[in-house]
Amino acid sequence: MESERGESLPSSSNPVEVVNSIRERTIAENSMVVLLQGLHGEVTTVDLRNESTARGRVVNVDAFMNIRLEEVVYRDRRGRLTQLQDMFITGRNVRYVHIPDHMDIMKTIQSQLAKIHRVRNFASQGGGRKEFKKTKRPLPLLL
Amino acid sequence: MVVLKNLHPPTEGVRLEQAETTAVMDGQRLGCGTLFVAETRLSWFDGSGMGFSLEYPTIGLHAISRDVSAFPQEHLYVMVNGKLSDENEAEMAEKAADDDGDDGSGSDGGDDEEGVITEIRFVPSDKASLESMFSAMCECQALHPDPEDEDSDNDFEGEEYDVEEAEHGHVNIPTFYTCDEGLSSLTQEGQATLERLEGMLAESVAQQYHMAGVRTGETKPEFEDGMEVDAEATEAGQFEDADVDH
């Protein structure tokens, strides 16, 4: 059930990221969602609040804990299994996200935070049109 | 019977309109109609203008199903928390009593435990449109974050600073303060935020030089609440009889 993503298909995470990116980075930076965002590409299980589970590869987790999975095996409350190609789980419905055993949680959080800071510093330089020396830290975007 | 209402299709913010789409609700075919994926709500209308709409906060998940063993046709699966409306509950319960629900519908009417759900399947005649239907729903769903989120830290201080807007709006005014100018323009709130963010940045940078997960440096003040375990005071085998679940 491998799906070939054609180049013409917009990644559903891109438009949302552009609109909410500043706010989402702040939310992510201040919560454990930043750990979940380090799960991109990992296969894991998500337990939903209604006692069902979904196991698949993490495509994206946004700041609101909405989770995109692909190649999913979904087990409903009664234990029935279904295969689903792509799945979007609303953040509110997530009870647990299993962290794969092989993942180093501290390192994942640190590298995710580092990514956020790099993006913020890059953005605040106006995409290259303004320059700041490294010692002079530009104003964080939220002030 | 599911009661359909005579509603109007949305006119604004329609991300996707998919005609020739059959709707199946908890195993019951409602007929062929048009699906509207709009920013405010998801709705579906049959040929006679009757239909239903779903609010995004009630949608638990949506997915593309290509598993014909679960349901004979490829479709967009939508799981809704709760039942569609109060007047439907009686019908749903009745239907659940009669219906085995063994065609993969999983009707839950009559279930008293938390998480009563409605399963809706949108079956387009054009299977190639499933990806765009799914994507459109993802985009619209993301526009409706959970307002009841307990994590109130989502409120951040200060104004959201839109880099593009500032540059387009003010050509002659410098878009960014230099460090010195900026610091003197900070409000008290801004100063506090700056200190907090700098502290977090320093922390995350400093910890890069420690082994992951192992605190090798000074203890942080926030942990000195008298609850620290003194490692030297434990005896060998002290915890062997503890009942630990891993």
Side-chain angles (χ1 to χ4, degrees):
Chain A
M1 285 223 306
E2 194 84 34
S3 78
E4 294 298 316
R5 279 203 190 277
E7 284 73 32
S8 57
L9 293 173
S11 158
S12 74
S13 64
N14 277 348
V16 180
E17 258 185 80
V18 168
V19 169
N20 284 325
S21 61
I22 298 171
R23 185 171 164 227
E24 285 199 38
R25 274 203 296 276
T26 312
I27 295 171
E29 184 179 41
N30 286 303
S31 79
M32 290 299 286
V33 156
V34 74
L35 169 61
L36 300 185
Q37 291 176 334
L39 286 178
H40 292 179
E42 299 286 336
V43 175
T44 189
T45 303
V46 178
D47 291 6
L48 279 69
R49 296 226 304 227
N50 69 349
E51 323 280 325
S52 60
T53 69
R55 182 169 178 82
R57 185 170 311 113
V58 176
V59 174
N60 189 52
V61 179
D62 69 14
F64 311 111
M65 221 184 293
N66 296 319
I67 301 175
R68 284 256 334 246
L69 296 173
E70 62 184 4
E71 292 169 44
V72 181
V73 176
Y74 176 70
R75 188 184 59 76
D76 71 11
R77 261 187 303 182
R78 300 184 181 171
R80 278 184 306 209
L81 298 176
T82 320
Q83 286 188 352
L84 296 163
Q85 178 189 309
D86 289 290
M87 176 181 282
F88 179 102
I89 304 172
T90 308
R92 189 161 169 260
N93 271 60
V94 175
R95 177 177 286 155
Y96 302 125
V97 178
H98 294 237
I99 309 292
D101 288 340
H102 68 83
M103 277 185 60
D104 182 329
I105 292 180
M106 281 300 292
K107 272 197 185 137
T108 304
I109 293 178
Q110 284 163 7
S111 73
Q112 285 302 120
L113 285 176
K115 279 183 200 169
I116 290 176
H117 295 146
R118 278 201 296 274
V119 171
R120 177 173 293 134
N121 286 337
F122 178 78
S124 71
Q125 289 176 31
R129 276 175 288 167
K130 299 255 181 207
E131 275 186 324
F132 291 89
K133 290 186 202 159
K134 280 263 167 152
T135 50
K136 270 189 180 183
R137 193 173 300 126
L139 220 58
L141 291 176
L142 303 172
L143 295 178
Chain B
M1 286 292 287
V2 175
V3 178
L4 296 180
K5 299 179 190 171
N6 193 353
L7 302 166
H8 298 290
T11 47
E12 280 180 10
V14 178
R15 296 286 185 105
L16 181 130
E17 197 177 308
Q18 191 66 35
E20 291 185 35
T21 298
T22 303
V24 182
M25 189 180 294
D26 283 338
Q28 185 181 4
R29 296 183 89 89
L30 302 180
C32 192
T34 304
L35 175 70
F36 294 86
V37 183
E39 289 167 5
T40 46
R41 58 183 56 86
L42 186 76
S43 45
W44 177 91
F45 297 90
D46 67 12
S48 67
M50 303 292 284
F52 64 90
S53 69
L54 302 172
E55 301 292 323
Y56 289 106
T58 65
I59 296 177
L61 66 88
H62 62 275
I64 297 179
S65 172
R66 298 199 195 269
D67 182 1
V68 292
S69 63
F71 188 82
Q73 286 168 291
E74 297 181 345
H75 62 278
L76 182 70
Y77 172 84
V78 178
M79 185 182 79
V80 179
N81 294 323
K83 292 301 177 188
L84 244 59
S85 71
D86 285 334
E87 57 187 328
N88 281 342
E89 269 175 29
E91 281 96 355
M92 290 296 192
E94 210 178 316
K95 189 183 85 63
D98 303 336
D99 191 9
D100 275 351
D102 58 357
D103 59 345
S105 64
S107 168
D108 280 318
D111 242 3
D112 270 336
E113 50 181 344
E114 60 152 39
V116 174
I117 60 170
T118 303
E119 293 181 312
I120 304 179
R121 302 172 198 272
F122 293 107
V123 193
S125 59
D126 176 17
K127 303 305 176 196
S129 62
L130 280 173
E131 301 270 1
S132 47
M133 288 162 72
F134 177 81
S135 296
M137 276 198 68
C138 287
E139 289 168 21
C140 294
Q141 191 75 54
L143 298 172
H144 297 260
D146 183 12
E148 288 168 13
D149 196 341
E150 299 105 49
D151 183 4
S152 60
D153 284 348
N154 285 351
D155 295 330
F156 49 87
E157 297 135 30
E159 268 189 350
E160 196 169 89
Y161 181 81
D162 190 324
V163 178
E164 314 297 336
E165 218 172 270
E167 287 189 325
H168 291 330
H170 308 283
V171 179
N172 294 324
I173 299 171
T175 331
F176 305 96
Y177 290 116
T178 60
C179 193
D180 300 322
E181 290 168 359
L183 284 177
S184 60
S185 299
L186 282 181
T187 62
Q188 246 187 341
E189 230 177 73
Q191 182 67 30
T193 305
L194 175 60
E195 276 164 13
R196 181 170 65 84
L197 291 174
E198 288 199 42
M200 285 171 60
L201 184 62
E203 239 180 77
S204 69
V205 167
Q207 284 179 5
Q208 281 171 17
Y209 298 102
H210 295 151
M211 282 164 54
V214 177
R215 211 175 288 284
T216 60
E218 327 71 25
T219 45
K220 293 206 162 16
E222 66 216 54
F223 290 122
E224 284 173 10
D225 55 357
M227 298 294 282
E228 272 177 326
V229 174
D230 187 357
E232 282 92 35
T234 58
E235 300 165 22
Q238 179 177 354
F239 297 111
E240 257 174 19
D241 58 345
D243 196 16
V244 178
D245 246 21
H246 283 299

